[in-house]
Structures are given as structure tokens and as C-alpha cells.
């Protein structure tokens, strides 16, 4: 990351976190780079903030977490973004980086191509931040520094269903649904869904995968997966009709986003 981006920015760090470590943290790099591009667009006369543009003045890291005791994980910061009139923008953020979610659809092999009958794989797992030990959601996981998806949910699908899903077998719904930004105002935001843009940088790219399976196999999975939690599994799977996904996953932003994207793209004949 070029030093010029932070040349005029005051950075306040807590004990145990070095400046070079923060600047090498991928989510921080992405946040600074994208914010800098968005701020630069104020130079255009059509921009609503052109007459008194905002600038990033300072960054204060309030706390941070490490994964595995060493790797920097989450960073909580408060920034000052203000204009010459000392008007500020809300700028407290939890930086945690990108993740992906998978809409895995199972289609019985006796269903004609014109049919809407299909089933979706959901996970049921503890989500302590949501105060839940059995949160129902789409399979999802963080993206590692190399840009690969290595989520526990994908491994669970492979272990419990025997389905290995390779990245080249996924359809990116987020990319297919992307609208063309008017020339000159593209902020460079990722083609993804932001579940909490008011306080977190996390953006989730939504993928889909379809697979035809024998109807008998579907029945077996549906019955077997329902009972797995009785055996103390931390992550279990649940198979639900696609038409019920909006209800079954009503608490999960990823599920609702996947429903909206898939149904909209299907109406346009893109999936």
C-alpha cells in the first residue's frame, strides 16, 4: 500500500500492534484504498460534497483480535473524516475482511428442467455474537489472504453429504447482478453484499451451485441431517425446499440476499 494514502493521516495504535502490521493487514489495506478512491471523487464538480470535500484526518485503533494467537484477525477502529467546516461523518468500523456464502441447490433427478422443485442446504451452528447455539444460515466462510474460500461450512457439506464443490463449479450471483456504474462515480466497491455497512467492512460474495441427485438420496439426507444435532455436532446441515428459503433463513442476511439475487437473475434469464 502506498505511503501517500496515509501521509497526512494521524494513526494512534494500542500496545501490541505495530504500524507496519496494521498496514499489512489486508482488510485495512482494502478499506484505506477504497475510502481514498471514494474521497477522491469529490473533486468532480457534480459530486454533492465538491464545494467542501471531506478528508480522512486520523485513525485510532481501539482494539484488535488475533487468530491462533499470532495472525491479526479483527480490528476495531474509529476514524475522523471531516471537511473544512469541521463537519464529520460517522466513522467507527470493525474491519474483518471479505467472506463468501454458497446457495447450494439440490435438484431431484426425476424433475424436468422446467420445474421449480429444488432444495437448499443450510447450516445450523453456534453463533455466539448472535447469542444463538443453533443459528440457521447459508453455508459461509471467510476468505483467506490468498483469496480462497476455506470455510468450515464447505468442509461440512463435503463430510456429511460427500459433495465436493470446487470454486470453478460456482456461479457468482453477485457479479451477475452487478449494475453498471455511471462513468466517473465508481467507488471501486467489491461486487458483494454488505450486511452491516454502518459499522463493519465485511462484504459477502454470494455464489450458487446446482447439482442433480437421486430423489431417494435427497430423502435420506433430509431425514439423517435433521437428527445430527442429537449427537453433539457443532455444525449440522439442514435441507429445505427452495421456496421456503426466505422463511427458513429469515434471520440470515446471506440467505435473504441469495433469494433476492437468484430470483431476480432468474427472471432475467441469467441463471
Amino acid at each position: 500500500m502506498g505511503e501517500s494514502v496515509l501521509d497526512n493521516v494521524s494513526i494512534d495504535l494500542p500496545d501490541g500492534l505495530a504500524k507496519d502490521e496494521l498496514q499489512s493487514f489486508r482488510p485495512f489495506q482494502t478499506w484505506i484504498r477504497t475510502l481514498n478512491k471514494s474521497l477522491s471523487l469529490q473533486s468532480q464538480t457534480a459530486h454533492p460534497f465538491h464545494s467542501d470535500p471531506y478528508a480522512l484526518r486520523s485513525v485510532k485503533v481501539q482494539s484488535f483480535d488475533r487468530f491462533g494467537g499470532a495472525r491479526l484477525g479483527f480490528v476495531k477502529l474509529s476514524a475522523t473524516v471531516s471537511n473544512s467546516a469541521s463537519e464529520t461523518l460517522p466513522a467507527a468500523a470493525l474491519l474483518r475482511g471479505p467472506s463468501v456464502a454458497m446457495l447450494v441447490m439440490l435438484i431431484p433427478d426425476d424433475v424436468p428442467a422446467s420445474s421449480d422443485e429444488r432444495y437448499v442446504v443450510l447450516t445450523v451452528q453456534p453463533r455466539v455474537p448472535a447469542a444463538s447455539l443453533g443459528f440457521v444460515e447459508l453455508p459461509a466462510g471467510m476468505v483467506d489472504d490468498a483469496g480462497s474460500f476455506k470455510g468450515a461450512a464447505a468442509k461440512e457439506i463435503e463430510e456429511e453429504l460427500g459433495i465436493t464443490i470446487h470454486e470453478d463449479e460456482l456461479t457468482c450471483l453477485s457479479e451477475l447482478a452487478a449494475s453498471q456504474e455511471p462513468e466517473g462515480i465508481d467507488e471501486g466497491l467489491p461486487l458483494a453484499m454488505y450486511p452491516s455497512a454502518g459499522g463493519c467492512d465485511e462484504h459477502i460474495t454470494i455464489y450458487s451451485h446446482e447439482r442433480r441427485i437421486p430423489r431417494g438420496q435427497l430423502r435420506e439426507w433430509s431425514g439423517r441431517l435433521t437428527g445430527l444435532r442429537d449427537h453433539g455436532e457443532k455444525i449440522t446441515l439442514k435441507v429445505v425446499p427452495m421456496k421456503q428459503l426466505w422463511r427458513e433463513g429469515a434471520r440470515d442476511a446471506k440467505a435473504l440476499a441469495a433469494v433476492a439475487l437468484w430470483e431476480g437473475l432468474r427472471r432475467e434469464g441469467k441463471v
Side-chain angles (χ1 to χ4, degrees), residues 7 18 21 26 52 61 70-72 80 83 91 97 126 132 136 173 179 221 247 250 255 263 266-267:
D7 275 350
E21 185 180 20
R26 184 70 63 86
D52 192 2
V61 176
R71 184 168 66 89
L72 195 58
T80 301
N83 59 14
S132 172
V136 179
L173 300 182
S179 59
W221 284 345
R247 189 186 302 277
E263 290 185 348
R266 203 173 193 213
R267 283 195 299 270

Side-chain angles (χ1 to χ4, degrees), residues 41-270:
L41 296 178
Q42 298 173 107
S43 63
Q44 301 177 18
T45 56
H47 198 285
F49 303 149
H50 174 73
S51 61
D52 192 2
Y54 288 86
L56 176 63
R57 314 288 182 182
S58 66
V59 172
K60 180 178 182 179
V61 176
Q62 299 165 317
S63 62
F64 61 95
D65 292 295
R66 296 188 183 277
F67 295 159
R71 184 168 66 89
L72 195 58
F74 299 160
V75 168
K76 172 66 171 61
L77 60 80
S78 177
T80 301
V81 179
S82 62
N83 59 14
S84 62
S86 297
E87 297 171 331
T88 61
L89 300 177
L94 171 66
L95 303 186
R96 55 168 291 168
S99 58
V100 301
M102 295 191 300
L103 176 63
V104 179
M105 293 173 286
L106 305 175
I107 305 173
D109 58 4
D110 58 357
V111 169
S114 59
S115 173
D116 285 334
E117 184 182 1
R118 61 192 64 218
Y119 300 83
V120 177
V121 178
L122 297 174
T123 63
V124 183
Q125 61 183 303
R127 290 298 194 191
V128 174
S132 172
L133 297 184
F135 197 81
V136 179
E137 60 185 304
L138 281 191
M142 301 295 291
V143 176
D144 65 14
D145 289 340
S148 297
F149 169 47
K150 295 184 178 179
K155 295 178 182 177
E156 196 72 18
I157 289 175
E158 183 172 358
E159 291 173 2
E160 302 296 348
L161 302 185
I163 295 178
T164 301
I165 301 174
H166 300 286
E167 291 187 27
D168 59 4
E169 296 177 309
L170 296 171
T171 298
C172 186
L173 300 182
S174 296
E175 289 185 3
L176 291 177
S179 59
Q180 185 67 39
E181 296 283 359
E183 186 176 354
I185 68 167
D186 182 10
E187 295 181 313
L189 297 177
L191 299 178
M193 179 270 291
Y194 284 74
S196 186
C200 185
D201 73 318
E202 182 184 15
H203 47 277
I204 305 173
T205 304
I206 310 290
Y207 292 92
S208 70
H209 174 76
E210 290 189 1
R211 183 166 300 198
R212 283 187 170 267
I213 64 171
R215 185 174 292 276
Q217 182 72 75
L218 179 64
R219 292 196 195 98
E220 178 187 336
W221 284 345
S222 297
R224 178 166 61 88
L225 298 176
T226 302
L228 279 177
R229 185 154 293 279
D230 296 336
H231 295 86
E233 295 283 347
K234 289 183 179 178
I235 301 178
T236 60
L237 303 181
K238 183 177 184 180
V239 177
V240 303
M242 177 68 181
K243 290 181 178 180
Q244 291 298 314
L245 178 57
W246 67 274
R247 189 186 302 277
E248 295 279 352
R251 291 188 176 90
D252 180 35
K254 303 181 297 298
L256 297 181
V259 169
L261 290 176
W262 186 81
E263 290 185 348
L265 289 167
R266 203 173 193 213
R267 283 195 299 270
E268 294 187 358
K270 294 182 179 179

